[in-house]
Amino acid sequence: MPKVKAKRQSVSLDMTAMCDVAFLLLTFFMLTAKFRPEEAVTITPPSSISEKPLNAKDGMLTISVSNEGGVYLATDDQMAREFMLERMANRYGVALTGEMKKNYMSSEIVGYPAGAMRQVLSIKASEAKDKGFLKGIPVDSANNELSYWVGYAKLSNPELKVAIKGDQNSSYKVFADIIGTLQAQNINIFQLVTSPENKPK
């Protein structure tokens, strides 16, 4: 007598729990993601064939030069940023409040003369850009405030690497002033930020 075959049943998985976890993760990442802030100035660096990426495990100090020749400073080292603010405020007699520190830390860059520091830090970073305060840090020989900012950053973290990011249409004189400022601070090794050159296929 032939054996009776058991009826084959399809395997069913309850995916409800997995869908719940997926949506929870998606919600978590959406709520905790930090969007890249709008840049104060748009800079189009010149192209080059170099493919060496910027890599600084001890922090990076980036000096940017706009098309109009404005000089801007940024660093990813939060301790150095706070140290620079406190030293510059002390140097120029600006009494810092909690709100001013908060506005300073919410901005990615420094790009104003020290004389406008009180006005700029009293308003939000987006408002400072709209009101035209971000004209750049003075770097000329008569009033070289960039040397103070860079000096205080390196005093806070001597291991900071320095990079210069300039617009391809920037004035050569501004670059020469920046390099002279760095050399006066005994900073003779720095990187130039470029965009990758389009290679022919």
Side-chain angles (χ1 to χ4, degrees):
M1 190 171 168
K3 292 183 180 179
V4 178
K5 290 185 178 178
K7 189 176 181 182
R8 185 176 288 180
Q9 295 180 346
S10 62
V11 178
S12 64
L13 291 174
D14 187 10
M15 298 295 288
T16 307
M18 188 163 290
C19 290
D20 288 345
V21 170
F23 280 110
L24 283 173
L25 284 172
L26 180 65
T27 306
F28 172 77
F29 288 122
M30 286 174 57
L31 294 176
T32 58
K34 182 179 178 184
F35 293 100
R36 185 175 178 187
E38 183 182 352
E39 293 183 0
V41 288
T42 303
I43 295 175
T44 307
S47 61
S48 74
I49 58 172
S50 174
E51 296 181 356
K52 183 179 178 183
L54 285 177
N55 187 10
K57 62 179 179 179
D58 298 316
M60 179 67 72
L61 183 69
T62 306
I63 302 170
S64 303
V65 184
S66 69
N67 187 14
E68 294 82 21
V71 178
Y72 303 87
L73 189 71
T75 182
D76 55 1
D77 186 333
Q78 299 301 318
M79 298 285 287
R81 291 192 72 209
E82 289 182 32
F83 188 80
M84 285 190 299
L85 174 65
E86 290 168 4
R87 288 298 180 101
M88 288 298 286
N90 188 33
R91 180 177 192 85
Y92 289 94
V94 178
L96 294 173
T97 64
E99 186 68 23
M100 292 168 85
K101 288 181 181 178
K102 182 179 176 185
N103 290 336
Y104 171 81
M105 294 306 288
S106 67
S107 174
E108 296 291 320
I109 65 159
V110 175
Y112 42 83
M117 184 182 290
R118 185 178 285 107
Q119 289 175 299
V120 173
L121 297 182
S122 297
I123 57 178
K124 292 183 178 177
S126 57
E127 294 176 16
K129 180 185 175 185
D130 295 338
K131 293 186 177 182
F133 285 123
L134 302 181
K135 296 178 180 177
I137 302 169
V139 72
D140 55 354
S141 57
N143 183 23
N144 192 345
E145 293 177 8
L146 180 65
S147 64
Y148 298 128
W149 286 102
V150 172
Y152 292 143
K154 291 293 277 185
L155 185 63
S156 171
N157 181 0
E159 301 302 319
L160 273 178
K161 305 297 182 201
V162 179
I164 302 174
K165 178 182 178 183
D167 193 272
Q168 59 188 359
N169 298 319
S170 300
S171 167
Y172 171 77
K173 183 185 180 308
V174 179
F175 279 95
D177 290 341
I178 291 171
I179 292 171
T181 299
L182 294 177
Q183 289 176 336
Q185 298 277 347
N186 292 322
I187 302 170
N188 297 308
I189 299 174
F190 48 85
Q191 295 176 307
L192 296 175
V193 179
T194 58
S195 60
E197 194 174 67
N198 291 331
K199 296 180 180 178
K201 293 183 180 179

